[in-house]
């Protein structure tokens, strides 16, 4: 049985989504399909000799992917749905082509690449560059051959591969050959009709394409030079793009102080001002008069709808009513703008995909700071004057930028009128704390951490790094009454009257950001709903509320999502914890115990006061005592909440009632020869929730908390991650402890030194095994002394040994010896004790290969014959340079895998009867309920392995912009959604892991046509 590689449960279904800005993309890798997601699929029309045209996969006959289009000279072509771009509408056409040699007559003069067939107009064609009839290598034609609708460009007449791109923008046609330089034809009527690749002229002329064509792209916007270069070099419009950032200070010039040097060019009457009343930071600002053409132009750059970006700026409009508030965007179309307006809700964003977002902000002429943050999933979040306003999701936040002060074509004059300063564009989503820094000091790194710890020990200072000292209002007071103080010397006492609260600098968490809150509370009344703990006092959102009319504790987010948790409604002192993971999950703890996890929408949260969280319409001000109020900018794990509770609990913490003990034995690899410095930081320090009793050869023994450095060589073995995994999965908490007891000694064998005598005494046992048993006895006594009254149970054993039996020539006896050893262990510690064998690795090449194979086979055979024994395959685990001992990564993998095996055995005992287990029906590979899914799959997914009607499956239902995916969940499992890339043959995560609710969960996948493969992955936490 193998658990180090957790199974993936797959529910395949097909969905394909469109690529922003691409009308069609024909890669010709295996067929004539459009892979843009727009379903503009082509079809080969084989006119004359059948089979002499088609997809070629011969090396050299295609440029990218795995194939190309090979066309003969007898008017064969690929037909696709007709597309018309009217004159003045932006579009781009790009393709690779290689002409064949040997043509004569008209075929030698022209090779039609793309256009409209059965006419003499609307085409892009390669020609012989002879100069005759104006032929210079490439011709673009619109509706006729007149000068205003026709353009010739220089291109080589040869039989080599070349990349061609035609870009239409306004009245200009630009041609790029092999990435550049640009050739420009102006004053053109640019309309074109496209329906054919490989032909674009009447059949009477022998002008059809002869040769190969590959990677045909059609865009519904004008590509920039760097995008064309990206197609030429990598078949990717973004491949040549530099980092997309900008910072215009306007301190005496239009230079970009960011790393990319996107200096601005002032157009019209755009000017700089140094008026101190108009400059926000530095020595200057941009002043615009609102006249069309007055703007600052920059080299164009853009973001796809899947990419995160941020924009911040200061703005002060000089007028109201005329909508003259275009801040930034593209001055060449009616998409791509950020606009402070009068006719709508105050601020409008429109994407490159022509999707509109409206935000509500005051329409005034005051100076304000704005920040707009796109997370790459369709969410746009607006901040004004450092304060979060709202998050809107309309599905497409792609954005193209080439102008500041303008973002619309000349049909309507919305040019900005007023002052702009400190205009910034960031590649990536900046955080609320960075926005705070920009607003307060024009420095995104001058951040105030979003943390808080109010102790109320004599004052209202913040003991965290956040520096959010409190200001008491009305009758919010500090009490030193020892009957009311939880920890320290003081607590906050509030009388329940509206206005009695503690205010501090606000902090904001977005829906995608984790956070945690813990506090002690003791209400002084019941029935009056006076239990607002924290939030904002200016709206009816953003609160944590201990209530009477609902289920005890309610959280409401900035977005208005309401979470109701069940909490006893009493006057007792209790500790509360709320943990948001940034995916909508909110977990509630009370008195150090997990209560439940809910997902009711978004967990965005604004916090600016304690003891209040609602406007004055209803008086829910807290009445009673609050103490040790904390806010964290991360998601605490359960043990963190427990540790805070235990540290602050005036009663000294919950008594431990159960200790789950696991044994670890073997030789040097069990003892450990891995460097602690290679461990993650969190595992280099003691794990306070795991007890560790250990003995090293020749040394003493001790009970401590689990930590590295306690091997014979002051290094570590499997115990570090074994204990961590067991504590996390087997069941731990303030009343239950996980403990390891370990004894291992390097260079010892099973044949003699670890031999088992066959009963529950030490008679006939090898000396190392006797020492092991004495260590276990001493360890159990130490744990009993540490936790008086607790039930102590040995729950499993891990065995890592065998190298000395190989070196000593005892390999042929290993299967018998190991079988006998396990029997003796069970006779001593319990007949149904799970036993995990760590199989020796192929990577231990210092061992004799034949003997190693014999011992490996013995280990496999013992596990196969015993339903209570598993074996962990270590062949993929890291080994040190001595080719004998596992390295740090290998030891971590061993501990994790062994821990998960032991957790599986616990699930097995909870799920199956002794008869089923004895019959072998409960093994990981078995299917105990006959529902077609293995026991291991059901364990990982959280379904019932003994119920044939409980299995992991998904239901799909249509939803706005995509579909809803519903599946059964367990509250202690995580579930993510992944998408398959058929080109790379890889899976990628599109919906992050989300903890199950314990019922049927539903998640929405935003997508288009159903032509992609997805799967749900269930994993252990």
């Amino acid at each position: 049985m193998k658990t180090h590689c957790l199974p993936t449960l797959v529910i395949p279904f097909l969905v394909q989504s469109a690529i922003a800005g691409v009308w069609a993309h024909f890669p010709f890798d295996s067929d004539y399909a459009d892979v843009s997601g727009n379903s503009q699929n082509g079809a080969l029309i084989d006119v004359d000799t059948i089979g002499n045209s088609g997809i070629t996969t011969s090396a050299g006959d295609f440029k990218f992917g795995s194939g190309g289009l090979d066309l003969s000279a007898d008017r064969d072509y690929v037909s696709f749905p007709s597309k018309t771009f009217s004159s003045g509408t932006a579009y781009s056409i790009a393709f690779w082509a290689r002409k064949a040699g040997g043509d004569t007559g008209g075929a030698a003069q022209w090779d039609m690449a793309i256009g409209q067939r059965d006419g003499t107009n609307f085409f892009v064609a390669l020609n012989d560059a002879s100069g005759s009839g104006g032929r210079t290598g490439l011709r673009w034609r619109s509706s006729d051959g007149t000068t205003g609708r026709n353009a010739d460009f220089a291109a080589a007449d040869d039989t080599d591969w070349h990349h061609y791109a035609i870009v239409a923008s306004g009245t200009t046609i630009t041609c790029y050959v092999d990435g550049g330089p640009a050739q420009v034809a102006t004053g053109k009527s640019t309309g074109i009709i496209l329906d054919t690749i490989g032909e674009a002229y009447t059949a009477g002329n022998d002008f059809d394409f002869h040769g190969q064509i590959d990677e045909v792209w059609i865009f519904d916007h004008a590509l920039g030079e760097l995008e064309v270069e990206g197609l030429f070099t990598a078949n990717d419009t973004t491949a040549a793009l530099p980092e997309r950032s900008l910072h215009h200070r306007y301190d005496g010039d239009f230079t970009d102080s960011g790393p990319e040097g996107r200096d601005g060019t002032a157009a019209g009457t755009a000017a700089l001002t140094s008026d101190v009343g108009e400059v926000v930071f530095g020595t200057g600002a941009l002043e615009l008069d609102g006249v069309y053409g007055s703007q600052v132009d920059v080299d164009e750059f853009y973001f796809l709808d899947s990419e995160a970006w941020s924009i911040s700026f200061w703005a002060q409009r000089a007028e109201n009513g005329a909508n003259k508030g275009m801040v930034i965007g593209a001055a060449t179309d009616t998409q791509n703008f950020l606009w402070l307006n009068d006719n709508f809700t105050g601020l409008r964003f429109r994407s490159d995909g022509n999707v509109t977002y409206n935000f509500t902000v005051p329409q005034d002429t005051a100076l304000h700071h704005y920040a707009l943050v796109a997370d790459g999933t369709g969410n746009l979040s607006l901040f004004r004057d450092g304060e979060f306003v709202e998050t809107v999701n309309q599905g497409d936040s792609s954005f193209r930028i080439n102008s500041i002060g303008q973002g619309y074509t000349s049909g309507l004059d919305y040019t900005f009128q007023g002052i702009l300063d400190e205009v910034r564009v960031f590649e990536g989503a900046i955080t609320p704390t960075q926005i705070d820094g920009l607003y307060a000091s024009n420095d995104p790194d001058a951040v105030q951490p979003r943390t808080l710890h109010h102790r109320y020990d004599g004052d209202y200072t913040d003991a965290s790094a956040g520096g959010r000292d409190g200001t008491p209002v009305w009758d919010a007071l500090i009490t030193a009454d020892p009957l009311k103080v939880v920890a320290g010397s003081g607590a906050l006492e509030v009388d329940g009257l509206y206005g009695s609260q503690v205010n501090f600098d606000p902090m904001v968490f977005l829906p995608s950001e984790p956070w945690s809150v813990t506090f002690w509370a003791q209400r002084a009344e019941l029935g009056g709903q006076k239990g607002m703990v924290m939030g904002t006092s200016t709206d009816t959102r953003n609160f944590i509320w201990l209530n009477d009319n609902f289920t005890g504790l309610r959280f409401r987010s900035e977005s208005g999502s309401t979470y109701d948790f069940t909490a006893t409604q009493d006057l007792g002192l209790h500790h509360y914890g709320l943990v948001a993971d940034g995916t909508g999950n909110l977990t509630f703890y009370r008195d150090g115990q997990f209560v439940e996890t809910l997902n009711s929408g978004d967990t965005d949260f604004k916090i600016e006061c304690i003891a209040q969280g609602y406007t004055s319409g209803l008086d829910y001000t807290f009445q009673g005592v609050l103490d040790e109020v904390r806010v964290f900018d991360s998601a605490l794990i359960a043990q963190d909440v427990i540790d805070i509770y235990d540290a602050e609990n005036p009663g000294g913490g919950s008594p431990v009632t159960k200790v789950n003990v696991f044994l670890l034995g073997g030789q040097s690899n069990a003892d450990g020869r891995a460097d602690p410095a290679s461990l993650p930081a969190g595992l280099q320090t003691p794990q306070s929730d795991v007890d560790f009793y250990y003995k090293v050869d020749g040394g003493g023994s001790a009970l401590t908390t689990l930590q590295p450095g306690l091997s014979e060589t002051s290094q570590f073995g499997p115990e570090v991650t074994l204990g961590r995994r067991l504590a996390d999965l087997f069941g731990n908490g303030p009343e239950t402890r996980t403990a390891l007891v370990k004894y291992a000694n390097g260079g010892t064998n099973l044949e003699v030194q670890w031999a088992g005598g066959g009963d529950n005494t030490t008679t006939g046992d090898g000396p190392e095994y006797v020492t092991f048993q004495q260590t276990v006895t001493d360890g159990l006594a130490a744990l009993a002394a540490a936790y008086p009254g607790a039930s102590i149970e040995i729950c499993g054993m891990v065995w890592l040994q065998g190298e000395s039996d190989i070196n000593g020539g005892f390999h042929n006896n290993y299967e018998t010896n190991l079988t006998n050893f396990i029997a003796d262990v069970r006779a001593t510690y319990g007949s149904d004790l799970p036993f995990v064998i760590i199989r020796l690795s192929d990577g231990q090449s210092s061992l004799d290969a034949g003997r190693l194979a014999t011992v490996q086979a013995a280990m496999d055979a013992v596990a196969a014959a015993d339903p209570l024994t598993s074996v962990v395959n270590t062949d993929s685990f890291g080994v040190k340079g001595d080719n004998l001992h596992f390295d740090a990564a290998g030891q971590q993998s061993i501990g994790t895998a062994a821990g998960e095996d032991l957790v599986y055995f616990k699930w097995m005992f909870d799920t199956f009867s002794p008869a089923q287990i004895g019959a072998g029906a409960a093994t990981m590979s078995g299917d105990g309920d006959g529902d077609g899914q293995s026991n291991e799959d059901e364990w990982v997914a959280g379904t019932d392995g003994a119920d044939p009607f409980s299995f992991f499956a998904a239901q799909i239902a249509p939803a706005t912009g995509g579909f809803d995916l519903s599946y059964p969940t367990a509250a202690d499992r995580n579930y993510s959604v992944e998408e398959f890339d058929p080109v790379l043959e890889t899976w990628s995560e599109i919906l992050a892991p989300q903890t199950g609710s314990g019922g049927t969960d539903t998640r929405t996948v935003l997508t288009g046509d159903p032509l992609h493969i997805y799967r749900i992955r269930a994993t252990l936490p």
Side-chain angles (χ1 to χ4, degrees), residues 437-654:
L438 289 170
Y439 172 63
S441 59
N442 197 35
D443 182 359
D445 297 321
V447 298
Q448 182 181 14
R450 287 170 295 166
T451 60
L452 179 143
H453 184 189
H454 281 193
R455 299 179 182 272
Y456 303 118
D457 292 344
D459 57 29
Y460 301 90
T461 58
D462 179 6
S464 80
R468 288 180 169 82
D469 297 342
T471 301
V473 181
W474 291 100
D475 295 325
L477 303 170
I478 289 177
T479 177
D481 185 340
L483 297 178
K484 296 177 180 179
V485 175
V486 176
S489 59
L492 176 66
E493 188 167 18
V494 188
D495 60 6
L497 296 179
Y498 186 80
S500 296
Q501 60 198 56
V502 176
N503 297 331
F504 48 83
D505 291 343
M507 60 185 111
V508 177
F509 297 95
L510 297 180
S512 60
E513 295 183 308
W515 54 265
S516 306
V517 168
T518 64
F519 58 92
W520 290 86
Q522 184 169 19
R523 297 179 62 189
E525 62 79 39
L526 287 178
Q529 307 276 359
K530 291 183 174 294
M532 282 289 172
V533 177
M534 67 171 61
T536 63
S537 59
T538 55
D539 55 42
T540 59
R541 306 180 304 278
N542 296 298
F543 60 72
I544 297 172
W545 179 31
L546 300 175
N547 58 66
D548 303 310
N549 289 357
F550 302 101
T551 57
L553 188 146
R554 171 172 285 186
F555 165 80
R556 184 169 292 163
S557 72
E558 165 67 27
S559 299
S561 299
T562 299
Y563 293 66
D564 281 313
F565 295 94
T566 300
T568 304
Q569 297 154 321
D570 59 29
L571 300 180
L573 174 67
H574 298 287
H575 185 260
Y576 299 86
L578 281 177
V579 178
D581 67 358
T583 70
N585 289 312
L586 193 60
T587 300
F588 173 45
Y589 299 85
R590 187 171 184 266
D591 294 334
Q593 299 284 342
F594 167 80
V595 179
E596 60 184 322
T597 297
L598 301 178
N599 190 318
S600 300
D602 290 327
T603 56
D604 46 337
F605 194 24
K606 180 179 179 181
I607 313 170
E608 62 184 15
C609 64
I610 293 169
Q612 185 54 273
Y614 214 78
T615 55
S616 58
L618 294 169
D619 186 3
Y620 298 144
T621 305
F622 193 87
Q623 184 173 341
V625 173
L626 295 168
D627 201 3
E628 301 296 334
V629 180
R630 300 175 185 250
V631 179
F632 304 84
D633 58 2
S634 61
L636 299 180
I637 63 173
Q639 190 59 46
D640 294 332
V641 178
I642 293 167
D643 290 344
I644 293 171
Y645 170 70
D646 286 342
E648 297 173 348
N649 186 1
S654 302

Side-chain angles (χ1 to χ4, degrees), residues 757-792:
D759 58 27
N760 63 353
T761 71
T762 58
T763 302
D765 294 343
E768 294 298 328
Y769 183 31
V770 171
T771 301
F772 174 83
Q773 292 173 78
Q774 186 60 52
T775 302
V776 173
T777 299
D778 294 343
L780 295 178
L783 290 167
Y787 304 108
S791 169
I792 299 176

Side-chain angles (χ1 to χ4, degrees), residues 246-258 272-273 278-287 310-316 327-328 367-372 404 419-426 430 435 437-444:
L246 177 147
H247 182 191
H248 281 194
R249 299 179 181 272
Y250 305 118
D251 292 346
D253 55 31
F254 298 92
T255 59
D256 176 10
S257 62
L272 300 175
T273 177
E278 297 176 330
V279 174
V280 182
F281 288 101
T283 60
L286 174 65
E287 188 168 18
S310 309
I311 291 173
S312 69
F313 58 92
W314 287 89
Q316 183 171 18
V327 176
I328 190 169
L367 176 68
H368 296 287
H369 184 262
Y370 300 86
L372 198 62
I404 296 168
I419 300 294
L420 294 171
D421 200 4
E422 300 297 337
V423 178
R424 296 176 182 250
V425 180
F426 301 85
I430 58 177
I435 293 169
L438 289 170
Y439 172 63
S441 59
N442 197 35
D443 182 359

Side-chain angles (χ1 to χ4, degrees), residues 12 43 48 54 90 257 296 457 536 692 749 798 803 813 836 843 882 896 1013:
D48 197 353
S257 62
V296 175
D457 292 344
T536 63
F692 186 48
N749 62 58
V798 178
E803 296 92 337
N813 302 333
V836 178
D882 63 4
T896 297
I1013 299 175

